[in-house]
PDB file of all heavy atoms in Angstrom:
ATOM      1  N   ALA E   1      -3.850  22.120  -6.768  1.00  0.00           N
ATOM      2  CA  ALA E   1      -5.155  21.734  -6.216  1.00  0.00           C
ATOM      3  C   ALA E   1      -6.075  21.232  -7.327  1.00  0.00           C
ATOM      4  O   ALA E   1      -6.783  20.234  -7.154  1.00  0.00           O
ATOM      5  CB  ALA E   1      -5.786  22.913  -5.493  1.00  0.00           C
ATOM      6  N   LYS E   2      -6.038  21.893  -8.469  1.00  0.00           N
ATOM      7  CA  LYS E   2      -6.857  21.476  -9.623  1.00  0.00           C
ATOM      8  C   LYS E   2      -6.394  20.099 -10.098  1.00  0.00           C
ATOM      9  O   LYS E   2      -7.221  19.221 -10.383  1.00  0.00           O
ATOM     10  CB  LYS E   2      -6.718  22.508 -10.755  1.00  0.00           C
ATOM     11  CG  LYS E   2      -7.324  22.100 -12.073  1.00  0.00           C
ATOM     12  CD  LYS E   2      -8.802  22.418 -12.119  1.00  0.00           C
ATOM     13  CE  LYS E   2      -9.372  22.239 -13.519  1.00  0.00           C
ATOM     14  NZ  LYS E   2      -9.785  20.882 -13.817  1.00  0.00           N
ATOM     15  N   ALA E   3      -5.075  19.905 -10.178  1.00  0.00           N
ATOM     16  CA  ALA E   3      -4.541  18.610 -10.602  1.00  0.00           C
ATOM     17  C   ALA E   3      -4.940  17.509  -9.620  1.00  0.00           C
ATOM     18  O   ALA E   3      -5.257  16.395 -10.028  1.00  0.00           O
ATOM     19  CB  ALA E   3      -3.021  18.688 -10.723  1.00  0.00           C
ATOM     20  N   LYS E   4      -4.966  17.838  -8.323  1.00  0.00           N
ATOM     21  CA  LYS E   4      -5.350  16.847  -7.314  1.00  0.00           C
ATOM     22  C   LYS E   4      -6.823  16.475  -7.452  1.00  0.00           C
ATOM     23  O   LYS E   4      -7.187  15.301  -7.352  1.00  0.00           O
ATOM     24  CB  LYS E   4      -5.071  17.376  -5.907  1.00  0.00           C
ATOM     25  CG  LYS E   4      -5.322  16.355  -4.829  1.00  0.00           C
ATOM     26  CD  LYS E   4      -4.922  16.857  -3.468  1.00  0.00           C
ATOM     27  CE  LYS E   4      -5.164  15.790  -2.418  1.00  0.00           C
ATOM     28  NZ  LYS E   4      -4.782  16.231  -1.079  1.00  0.00           N
ATOM     29  N   GLU E   5      -7.672  17.466  -7.701  1.00  0.00           N
ATOM     30  CA  GLU E   5      -9.099  17.192  -7.912  1.00  0.00           C
ATOM     31  C   GLU E   5      -9.300  16.304  -9.134  1.00  0.00           C
ATOM     32  O   GLU E   5     -10.082  15.347  -9.092  1.00  0.00           O
ATOM     33  CB  GLU E   5      -9.874  18.498  -8.078  1.00  0.00           C
ATOM     34  CG  GLU E   5     -10.015  19.305  -6.814  1.00  0.00           C
ATOM     35  CD  GLU E   5     -10.656  20.666  -7.056  1.00  0.00           C
ATOM     36  OE1 GLU E   5     -11.207  20.898  -8.155  1.00  0.00           O
ATOM     37  OE2 GLU E   5     -10.603  21.511  -6.149  1.00  0.00           O
ATOM     38  N   ASP E   6      -8.611  16.629 -10.223  1.00  0.00           N
ATOM     39  CA  ASP E   6      -8.715  15.822 -11.438  1.00  0.00           C
ATOM     40  C   ASP E   6      -8.252  14.391 -11.176  1.00  0.00           C
ATOM     41  O   ASP E   6      -8.859  13.431 -11.653  1.00  0.00           O
ATOM     42  CB  ASP E   6      -7.888  16.438 -12.567  1.00  0.00           C
ATOM     43  CG  ASP E   6      -8.443  17.777 -13.032  1.00  0.00           C
ATOM     44  OD1 ASP E   6      -9.617  18.100 -12.708  1.00  0.00           O
ATOM     45  OD2 ASP E   6      -7.702  18.516 -13.723  1.00  0.00           O
ATOM     46  N   TYR E   7      -7.179  14.266 -10.406  1.00  0.00           N
ATOM     47  CA  TYR E   7      -6.648  12.948 -10.064  1.00  0.00           C
ATOM     48  C   TYR E   7      -7.664  12.148  -9.244  1.00  0.00           C
ATOM     49  O   TYR E   7      -7.907  10.976  -9.522  1.00  0.00           O
ATOM     50  CB  TYR E   7      -5.338  13.097  -9.288  1.00  0.00           C
ATOM     51  CG  TYR E   7      -4.878  11.832  -8.608  1.00  0.00           C
ATOM     52  CD1 TYR E   7      -4.303  10.798  -9.334  1.00  0.00           C
ATOM     53  CD2 TYR E   7      -5.004  11.672  -7.229  1.00  0.00           C
ATOM     54  CE1 TYR E   7      -3.878   9.637  -8.705  1.00  0.00           C
ATOM     55  CE2 TYR E   7      -4.574  10.526  -6.600  1.00  0.00           C
ATOM     56  CZ  TYR E   7      -4.012   9.511  -7.343  1.00  0.00           C
ATOM     57  OH  TYR E   7      -3.594   8.361  -6.723  1.00  0.00           O
ATOM     58  N   GLU E   8      -8.255  12.786  -8.238  1.00  0.00           N
ATOM     59  CA  GLU E   8      -9.232  12.090  -7.396  1.00  0.00           C
ATOM     60  C   GLU E   8     -10.436  11.641  -8.206  1.00  0.00           C
ATOM     61  O   GLU E   8     -10.957  10.540  -8.005  1.00  0.00           O
ATOM     62  CB  GLU E   8      -9.636  12.978  -6.230  1.00  0.00           C
ATOM     63  CG  GLU E   8      -8.517  13.149  -5.208  1.00  0.00           C
ATOM     64  CD  GLU E   8      -8.811  14.172  -4.133  1.00  0.00           C
ATOM     65  OE1 GLU E   8      -9.811  14.922  -4.257  1.00  0.00           O
ATOM     66  OE2 GLU E   8      -8.032  14.240  -3.164  1.00  0.00           O
ATOM     67  N   ASP E   9     -10.884  12.487  -9.152  1.00  0.00           N
ATOM     68  CA  ASP E   9     -11.986  12.096 -10.030  1.00  0.00           C
ATOM     69  C   ASP E   9     -11.588  10.905 -10.902  1.00  0.00           C
ATOM     70  O   ASP E   9     -12.374   9.971 -11.099  1.00  0.00           O
ATOM     71  CB  ASP E   9     -12.410  13.272 -10.922  1.00  0.00           C
ATOM     72  CG  ASP E   9     -13.072  14.397 -10.129  1.00  0.00           C
ATOM     73  OD1 ASP E   9     -13.519  14.143  -8.980  1.00  0.00           O
ATOM     74  OD2 ASP E   9     -13.134  15.528 -10.650  1.00  0.00           O
ATOM     75  N   ALA E  10     -10.370  10.939 -11.422  1.00  0.00           N
ATOM     76  CA  ALA E  10      -9.893   9.857 -12.274  1.00  0.00           C
ATOM     77  C   ALA E  10      -9.777   8.552 -11.491  1.00  0.00           C
ATOM     78  O   ALA E  10     -10.096   7.475 -12.007  1.00  0.00           O
ATOM     79  CB  ALA E  10      -8.549  10.227 -12.899  1.00  0.00           C
ATOM     80  N   VAL E  11      -9.354   8.633 -10.233  1.00  0.00           N
ATOM     81  CA  VAL E  11      -9.238   7.432  -9.397  1.00  0.00           C
ATOM     82  C   VAL E  11     -10.628   6.857  -9.122  1.00  0.00           C
ATOM     83  O   VAL E  11     -10.827   5.640  -9.186  1.00  0.00           O
ATOM     84  CB  VAL E  11      -8.491   7.738  -8.080  1.00  0.00           C
ATOM     85  CG1 VAL E  11      -8.633   6.603  -7.091  1.00  0.00           C
ATOM     86  CG2 VAL E  11      -7.030   8.021  -8.353  1.00  0.00           C
ATOM     87  N   LYS E  12     -11.582   7.730  -8.812  1.00  0.00           N
ATOM     88  CA  LYS E  12     -12.957   7.247  -8.565  1.00  0.00           C
ATOM     89  C   LYS E  12     -13.503   6.547  -9.803  1.00  0.00           C
ATOM     90  O   LYS E  12     -14.128   5.494  -9.708  1.00  0.00           O
ATOM     91  CB  LYS E  12     -13.859   8.408  -8.162  1.00  0.00           C
ATOM     92  CG  LYS E  12     -13.616   8.895  -6.756  1.00  0.00           C
ATOM     93  CD  LYS E  12     -14.495  10.079  -6.411  1.00  0.00           C
ATOM     94  CE  LYS E  12     -14.151  10.625  -5.034  1.00  0.00           C
ATOM     95  NZ  LYS E  12     -14.882  11.847  -4.723  1.00  0.00           N
ATOM     96  N   GLU E  13     -13.271   7.131 -10.970  1.00  0.00           N
ATOM     97  CA  GLU E  13     -13.740   6.527 -12.220  1.00  0.00           C
ATOM     98  C   GLU E  13     -13.025   5.199 -12.459  1.00  0.00           C
ATOM     99  O   GLU E  13     -13.641   4.213 -12.862  1.00  0.00           O
ATOM    100  CB  GLU E  13     -13.467   7.480 -13.384  1.00  0.00           C
ATOM    101  CG  GLU E  13     -13.969   6.958 -14.713  1.00  0.00           C
ATOM    102  CD  GLU E  13     -13.721   7.937 -15.840  1.00  0.00           C
ATOM    103  OE1 GLU E  13     -13.705   9.161 -15.604  1.00  0.00           O
ATOM    104  OE2 GLU E  13     -13.518   7.461 -16.974  1.00  0.00           O
ATOM    105  N   PHE E  14     -11.734   5.171 -12.179  1.00  0.00           N
ATOM    106  CA  PHE E  14     -10.938   3.951 -12.343  1.00  0.00           C
ATOM    107  C   PHE E  14     -11.483   2.839 -11.454  1.00  0.00           C
ATOM    108  O   PHE E  14     -11.656   1.704 -11.899  1.00  0.00           O
ATOM    109  CB  PHE E  14      -9.482   4.259 -11.993  1.00  0.00           C
ATOM    110  CG  PHE E  14      -8.581   3.062 -11.961  1.00  0.00           C
ATOM    111  CD1 PHE E  14      -8.165   2.447 -13.132  1.00  0.00           C
ATOM    112  CD2 PHE E  14      -8.115   2.555 -10.752  1.00  0.00           C
ATOM    113  CE1 PHE E  14      -7.317   1.348 -13.100  1.00  0.00           C
ATOM    114  CE2 PHE E  14      -7.269   1.465 -10.712  1.00  0.00           C
ATOM    115  CZ  PHE E  14      -6.872   0.855 -11.892  1.00  0.00           C
ATOM    116  N   GLU E  15     -11.759   3.161 -10.186  1.00  0.00           N
ATOM    117  CA  GLU E  15     -12.262   2.155  -9.252  1.00  0.00           C
ATOM    118  C   GLU E  15     -13.693   1.744  -9.591  1.00  0.00           C
ATOM    119  O   GLU E  15     -14.069   0.587  -9.404  1.00  0.00           O
ATOM    120  CB  GLU E  15     -12.167   2.676  -7.826  1.00  0.00           C
ATOM    121  CG  GLU E  15     -10.725   2.775  -7.346  1.00  0.00           C
ATOM    122  CD  GLU E  15     -10.579   3.431  -5.986  1.00  0.00           C
ATOM    123  OE1 GLU E  15     -11.578   3.976  -5.464  1.00  0.00           O
ATOM    124  OE2 GLU E  15      -9.456   3.399  -5.450  1.00  0.00           O
ATOM    125  N   ALA E  16     -14.491   2.679 -10.104  1.00  0.00           N
ATOM    126  CA  ALA E  16     -15.873   2.362 -10.491  1.00  0.00           C
ATOM    127  C   ALA E  16     -15.905   1.409 -11.678  1.00  0.00           C
ATOM    128  O   ALA E  16     -16.834   0.613 -11.810  1.00  0.00           O
ATOM    129  CB  ALA E  16     -16.632   3.637 -10.824  1.00  0.00           C
ATOM    130  N   ASN E  17     -14.905   1.471 -12.512  1.00  0.00           N
ATOM    131  CA  ASN E  17     -14.836   0.596 -13.685  1.00  0.00           C
ATOM    132  C   ASN E  17     -14.124  -0.717 -13.391  1.00  0.00           C
ATOM    133  O   ASN E  17     -13.718  -1.420 -14.308  1.00  0.00           O
ATOM    134  CB  ASN E  17     -14.136   1.324 -14.844  1.00  0.00           C
ATOM    135  CG  ASN E  17     -14.964   2.466 -15.376  1.00  0.00           C
ATOM    136  OD1 ASN E  17     -16.186   2.452 -15.289  1.00  0.00           O
ATOM    137  ND2 ASN E  17     -14.298   3.470 -15.919  1.00  0.00           N
ATOM    138  N   GLY E  18     -13.963  -1.041 -12.121  1.00  0.00           N
ATOM    139  CA  GLY E  18     -13.376  -2.320 -11.742  1.00  0.00           C
ATOM    140  C   GLY E  18     -11.888  -2.265 -11.514  1.00  0.00           C
ATOM    141  O   GLY E  18     -11.266  -3.285 -11.249  1.00  0.00           O
ATOM    142  N   GLY E  19     -11.285  -1.112 -11.606  1.00  0.00           N
ATOM    143  CA  GLY E  19      -9.856  -0.998 -11.373  1.00  0.00           C
ATOM    144  C   GLY E  19      -9.551  -1.134  -9.901  1.00  0.00           C
ATOM    145  O   GLY E  19     -10.338  -0.753  -9.042  1.00  0.00           O
ATOM    146  N   GLY E  20      -8.422  -1.681  -9.595  1.00  0.00           N
ATOM    147  CA  GLY E  20      -8.016  -1.813  -8.206  1.00  0.00           C
ATOM    148  C   GLY E  20      -8.483  -3.101  -7.564  1.00  0.00           C
ATOM    149  O   GLY E  20      -7.863  -3.570  -6.630  1.00  0.00           O
ATOM    150  N   ALA E  21      -9.570  -3.708  -8.038  1.00  0.00           N
ATOM    151  CA  ALA E  21     -10.076  -4.943  -7.438  1.00  0.00           C
ATOM    152  C   ALA E  21      -9.175  -6.118  -7.780  1.00  0.00           C
ATOM    153  O   ALA E  21      -8.985  -7.015  -6.975  1.00  0.00           O
ATOM    154  CB  ALA E  21     -11.497  -5.222  -7.910  1.00  0.00           C
ATOM    155  N   ALA E  22      -8.587  -6.092  -8.964  1.00  0.00           N
ATOM    156  CA  ALA E  22      -7.747  -7.202  -9.410  1.00  0.00           C
ATOM    157  C   ALA E  22      -6.418  -7.256  -8.673  1.00  0.00           C
ATOM    158  O   ALA E  22      -5.809  -8.308  -8.557  1.00  0.00           O
ATOM    159  CB  ALA E  22      -7.493  -7.090 -10.913  1.00  0.00           C
ATOM    160  N   ASN E  23      -5.956  -6.129  -8.147  1.00  0.00           N
ATOM    161  CA  ASN E  23      -4.652  -6.132  -7.486  1.00  0.00           C
ATOM    162  C   ASN E  23      -4.774  -5.991  -5.976  1.00  0.00           C
ATOM    163  O   ASN E  23      -3.957  -5.367  -5.349  1.00  0.00           O
ATOM    164  CB  ASN E  23      -3.753  -5.035  -8.068  1.00  0.00           C
ATOM    165  CG  ASN E  23      -4.317  -3.649  -7.864  1.00  0.00           C
ATOM    166  OD1 ASN E  23      -5.357  -3.490  -7.257  1.00  0.00           O
ATOM    167  ND2 ASN E  23      -3.625  -2.647  -8.375  1.00  0.00           N
ATOM    168  N   GLY E  24      -5.778  -6.547  -5.399  1.00  0.00           N
ATOM    169  CA  GLY E  24      -5.895  -6.583  -3.946  1.00  0.00           C
ATOM    170  C   GLY E  24      -6.685  -5.429  -3.368  1.00  0.00           C
ATOM    171  O   GLY E  24      -6.583  -5.152  -2.184  1.00  0.00           O
ATOM    172  N   GLY E  25      -7.428  -4.721  -4.165  1.00  0.00           N
ATOM    173  CA  GLY E  25      -8.267  -3.659  -3.644  1.00  0.00           C
ATOM    174  C   GLY E  25      -7.512  -2.419  -3.231  1.00  0.00           C
ATOM    175  O   GLY E  25      -8.018  -1.617  -2.475  1.00  0.00           O
ATOM    176  N   GLY E  26      -6.302  -2.275  -3.694  1.00  0.00           N
ATOM    177  CA  GLY E  26      -5.543  -1.071  -3.387  1.00  0.00           C
ATOM    178  C   GLY E  26      -5.018  -1.018  -1.968  1.00  0.00           C
ATOM    179  O   GLY E  26      -4.848   0.050  -1.417  1.00  0.00           O
ATOM    180  N   LYS E  27      -4.802  -2.170  -1.357  1.00  0.00           N
ATOM    181  CA  LYS E  27      -4.281  -2.182   0.006  1.00  0.00           C
ATOM    182  C   LYS E  27      -2.875  -1.625   0.020  1.00  0.00           C
ATOM    183  O   LYS E  27      -2.095  -1.859  -0.891  1.00  0.00           O
ATOM    184  CB  LYS E  27      -4.219  -3.610   0.554  1.00  0.00           C
ATOM    185  CG  LYS E  27      -5.537  -4.190   0.955  1.00  0.00           C
ATOM    186  CD  LYS E  27      -5.286  -5.536   1.596  1.00  0.00           C
ATOM    187  CE  LYS E  27      -6.578  -6.161   2.066  1.00  0.00           C
ATOM    188  NZ  LYS E  27      -6.333  -7.482   2.635  1.00  0.00           N
ATOM    189  N   LYS E  28      -2.560  -0.914   1.087  1.00  0.00           N
ATOM    190  CA  LYS E  28      -1.197  -0.447   1.256  1.00  0.00           C
ATOM    191  C   LYS E  28      -0.433  -1.515   2.015  1.00  0.00           C
ATOM    192  O   LYS E  28      -0.997  -2.221   2.851  1.00  0.00           O
ATOM    193  CB  LYS E  28      -1.160   0.870   2.043  1.00  0.00           C
ATOM    194  CG  LYS E  28      -1.696   2.028   1.258  1.00  0.00           C
ATOM    195  CD  LYS E  28      -1.468   3.304   2.015  1.00  0.00           C
ATOM    196  CE  LYS E  28      -1.937   4.473   1.182  1.00  0.00           C
ATOM    197  NZ  LYS E  28      -1.645   5.736   1.845  1.00  0.00           N
ATOM    198  N   ARG E  29       0.834  -1.602   1.708  1.00  0.00           N
ATOM    199  CA  ARG E  29       1.660  -2.579   2.411  1.00  0.00           C
ATOM    200  C   ARG E  29       1.907  -2.101   3.825  1.00  0.00           C
ATOM    201  O   ARG E  29       2.191  -0.944   4.074  1.00  0.00           O
ATOM    202  CB  ARG E  29       2.988  -2.741   1.695  1.00  0.00           C
ATOM    203  CG  ARG E  29       2.849  -3.433   0.377  1.00  0.00           C
ATOM    204  CD  ARG E  29       4.134  -3.521  -0.377  1.00  0.00           C
ATOM    205  NE  ARG E  29       5.269  -3.783   0.484  1.00  0.00           N
ATOM    206  CZ  ARG E  29       6.500  -3.857   0.048  1.00  0.00           C
ATOM    207  NH1 ARG E  29       6.768  -3.673  -1.202  1.00  0.00           N
ATOM    208  NH2 ARG E  29       7.499  -4.081   0.881  1.00  0.00           N
ATOM    209  N   GLY E  30       1.789  -3.028   4.746  1.00  0.00           N
ATOM    210  CA  GLY E  30       2.065  -2.708   6.135  1.00  0.00           C
ATOM    211  C   GLY E  30       3.547  -2.838   6.419  1.00  0.00           C
ATOM    212  O   GLY E  30       4.333  -3.228   5.563  1.00  0.00           O
ATOM    213  N   LYS E  31       3.917  -2.510   7.627  1.00  0.00           N
ATOM    214  CA  LYS E  31       5.317  -2.645   8.009  1.00  0.00           C
ATOM    215  C   LYS E  31       5.662  -4.124   8.135  1.00  0.00           C
ATOM    216  O   LYS E  31       4.852  -4.935   8.562  1.00  0.00           O
ATOM    217  CB  LYS E  31       5.586  -1.951   9.337  1.00  0.00           C
ATOM    218  CG  LYS E  31       5.524  -0.450   9.243  1.00  0.00           C
ATOM    219  CD  LYS E  31       5.931   0.172  10.558  1.00  0.00           C
ATOM    220  CE  LYS E  31       5.926   1.675  10.443  1.00  0.00           C
ATOM    221  NZ  LYS E  31       6.332   2.301  11.690  1.00  0.00           N
ATOM    222  N   ALA E  32       6.862  -4.449   7.778  1.00  0.00           N
ATOM    223  CA  ALA E  32       7.329  -5.823   7.893  1.00  0.00           C
ATOM    224  C   ALA E  32       7.469  -6.181   9.367  1.00  0.00           C
ATOM    225  O   ALA E  32       7.860  -5.357  10.188  1.00  0.00           O
ATOM    226  CB  ALA E  32       8.664  -5.987   7.187  1.00  0.00           C
ATOM    227  N   VAL E  33       7.130  -7.401   9.681  1.00  0.00           N
ATOM    228  CA  VAL E  33       7.239  -7.865  11.054  1.00  0.00           C
ATOM    229  C   VAL E  33       8.697  -8.179  11.318  1.00  0.00           C
ATOM    230  O   VAL E  33       9.348  -8.892  10.557  1.00  0.00           O
ATOM    231  CB  VAL E  33       6.373  -9.133  11.272  1.00  0.00           C
ATOM    232  CG1 VAL E  33       6.545  -9.666  12.677  1.00  0.00           C
ATOM    233  CG2 VAL E  33       4.928  -8.825  10.985  1.00  0.00           C
ATOM    234  N   LYS E  34       9.206  -7.645  12.402  1.00  0.00           N
ATOM    235  CA  LYS E  34      10.607  -7.855  12.742  1.00  0.00           C
ATOM    236  C   LYS E  34      10.759  -9.232  13.363  1.00  0.00           C
ATOM    237  O   LYS E  34      10.037  -9.597  14.299  1.00  0.00           O
ATOM    238  CB  LYS E  34      11.076  -6.772  13.700  1.00  0.00           C
ATOM    239  CG  LYS E  34      12.557  -6.779  13.922  1.00  0.00           C
ATOM    240  CD  LYS E  34      12.992  -5.573  14.701  1.00  0.00           C
ATOM    241  CE  LYS E  34      14.495  -5.550  14.851  1.00  0.00           C
ATOM    242  NZ  LYS E  34      14.939  -4.385  15.587  1.00  0.00           N
ATOM    243  N   LYS E  35      11.703  -9.999  12.824  1.00  0.00           N
ATOM    244  CA  LYS E  35      11.951 -11.337  13.345  1.00  0.00           C
ATOM    245  C   LYS E  35      12.806 -11.243  14.595  1.00  0.00           C
ATOM    246  O   LYS E  35      13.636 -10.350  14.708  1.00  0.00           O
ATOM    247  CB  LYS E  35      12.674 -12.183  12.299  1.00  0.00           C
ATOM    248  CG  LYS E  35      11.842 -12.446  11.069  1.00  0.00           C
ATOM    249  CD  LYS E  35      12.603 -13.290  10.085  1.00  0.00           C
ATOM    250  CE  LYS E  35      11.774 -13.522   8.841  1.00  0.00           C
ATOM    251  NZ  LYS E  35      12.511 -14.313   7.847  1.00  0.00           N
ATOM    252  N   PRO E  36      12.605 -12.172  15.530  1.00  0.00           N
ATOM    253  CA  PRO E  36      13.443 -12.141  16.732  1.00  0.00           C
ATOM    254  C   PRO E  36      14.892 -12.435  16.361  1.00  0.00           C
ATOM    255  O   PRO E  36      15.169 -13.182  15.430  1.00  0.00           O
ATOM    256  CB  PRO E  36      12.865 -13.247  17.615  1.00  0.00           C
ATOM    257  CG  PRO E  36      12.081 -14.110  16.700  1.00  0.00           C
ATOM    258  CD  PRO E  36      11.637 -13.247  15.559  1.00  0.00           C
ATOM    259  N   ALA E  37      15.796 -11.835  17.097  1.00  0.00           N
ATOM    260  CA  ALA E  37      17.218 -12.011  16.825  1.00  0.00           C
ATOM    261  C   ALA E  37      17.622 -13.457  17.104  1.00  0.00           C
ATOM    262  O   ALA E  37      17.126 -14.095  18.042  1.00  0.00           O
ATOM    263  CB  ALA E  37      18.033 -11.061  17.676  1.00  0.00           C
ATOM    264  N   LYS E  38      18.542 -13.945  16.282  1.00  0.00           N
ATOM    265  CA  LYS E  38      19.032 -15.316  16.489  1.00  0.00           C
ATOM    266  C   LYS E  38      20.014 -15.318  17.655  1.00  0.00           C
ATOM    267  O   LYS E  38      20.735 -14.352  17.878  1.00  0.00           O
ATOM    268  CB  LYS E  38      19.750 -15.809  15.235  1.00  0.00           C
ATOM    269  CG  LYS E  38      18.837 -16.021  14.062  1.00  0.00           C
ATOM    270  CD  LYS E  38      19.617 -16.576  12.891  1.00  0.00           C
ATOM    271  CE  LYS E  38      18.705 -16.838  11.722  1.00  0.00           C
ATOM    272  NZ  LYS E  38      19.447 -17.367  10.566  1.00  0.00           N
ATOM    273  N   LYS E  39      20.028 -16.421  18.367  1.00  0.00           N
ATOM    274  CA  LYS E  39      20.971 -16.559  19.465  1.00  0.00           C
ATOM    275  C   LYS E  39      22.341 -16.886  18.901  1.00  0.00           C
ATOM    276  O   LYS E  39      22.464 -17.583  17.895  1.00  0.00           O
ATOM    277  CB  LYS E  39      20.559 -17.698  20.395  1.00  0.00           C
ATOM    278  CG  LYS E  39      19.337 -17.417  21.208  1.00  0.00           C
ATOM    279  CD  LYS E  39      19.083 -18.565  22.150  1.00  0.00           C
ATOM    280  CE  LYS E  39      17.872 -18.320  23.011  1.00  0.00           C
ATOM    281  NZ  LYS E  39      17.630 -19.446  23.920  1.00  0.00           N
ATOM    282  N   SER E  40      23.340 -16.374  19.548  1.00  0.00           N
ATOM    283  CA  SER E  40      24.694 -16.731  19.131  1.00  0.00           C
ATOM    284  C   SER E  40      24.963 -18.170  19.549  1.00  0.00           C
ATOM    285  O   SER E  40      24.275 -18.736  20.410  1.00  0.00           O
ATOM    286  CB  SER E  40      25.708 -15.788  19.763  1.00  0.00           C
ATOM    287  OG  SER E  40      25.750 -16.009  21.155  1.00  0.00           O
ATOM    288  N   LYS E  41      25.989 -18.775  18.974  1.00  0.00           N
ATOM    289  CA  LYS E  41      26.307 -20.164  19.307  1.00  0.00           C
ATOM    290  C   LYS E  41      26.661 -20.308  20.782  1.00  0.00           C
ATOM    291  O   LYS E  41      26.303 -21.264  21.430  1.00  0.00           O
ATOM    292  CB  LYS E  41      27.453 -20.663  18.437  1.00  0.00           C
ATOM    293  CG  LYS E  41      27.055 -20.871  17.001  1.00  0.00           C
ATOM    294  CD  LYS E  41      28.196 -21.442  16.191  1.00  0.00           C
ATOM    295  CE  LYS E  41      27.749 -21.665  14.766  1.00  0.00           C
ATOM    296  NZ  LYS E  41      28.824 -22.237  13.941  1.00  0.00           N
ATOM    297  N   LYS E  42      27.356 -19.298  21.299  1.00  0.00           N
ATOM    298  CA  LYS E  42      27.753 -19.340  22.698  1.00  0.00           C
ATOM    299  C   LYS E  42      26.521 -19.321  23.606  1.00  0.00           C
ATOM    300  O   LYS E  42      26.404 -20.112  24.537  1.00  0.00           O
ATOM    301  CB  LYS E  42      28.662 -18.159  23.017  1.00  0.00           C
ATOM    302  CG  LYS E  42      29.177 -18.172  24.437  1.00  0.00           C
ATOM    303  CD  LYS E  42      30.115 -17.021  24.686  1.00  0.00           C
ATOM    304  CE  LYS E  42      30.601 -17.047  26.119  1.00  0.00           C
ATOM    305  NZ  LYS E  42      31.469 -15.915  26.421  1.00  0.00           N
ATOM    306  N   ALA E  43      25.576 -18.435  23.317  1.00  0.00           N
ATOM    307  CA  ALA E  43      24.366 -18.339  24.132  1.00  0.00           C
ATOM    308  C   ALA E  43      23.538 -19.613  24.011  1.00  0.00           C
ATOM    309  O   ALA E  43      22.966 -20.091  24.982  1.00  0.00           O
ATOM    310  CB  ALA E  43      23.548 -17.123  23.728  1.00  0.00           C
TER     311      ALA E  43
END
């Protein structure tokens, strides 16, 4: 719990100093969009 608090403080300081803005604002990647299945040649 202490390590987590220290980490959260460090992240806030990192973001306050401009960190995270250069790499997209810390967005998480979403799920990949599933492409529709290709039709077989017969179909």
Side-chain angles (χ1 to χ4, degrees):
K2 171 85 170 86
K4 185 175 181 180
E5 289 174 12
D6 293 344
Y7 166 76
E8 289 172 350
D9 291 342
V11 167
K12 286 178 185 174
E13 182 178 330
F14 173 74
E15 290 174 351
N17 292 333
N23 62 2
K27 284 186 178 178
K28 290 187 177 184
R29 290 176 39 182
K31 290 185 178 181
V33 177
K34 190 171 183 179
K35 295 180 181 178
K38 292 183 178 179
K39 289 184 179 180
S40 68
K41 289 183 179 181
K42 183 178 179 182

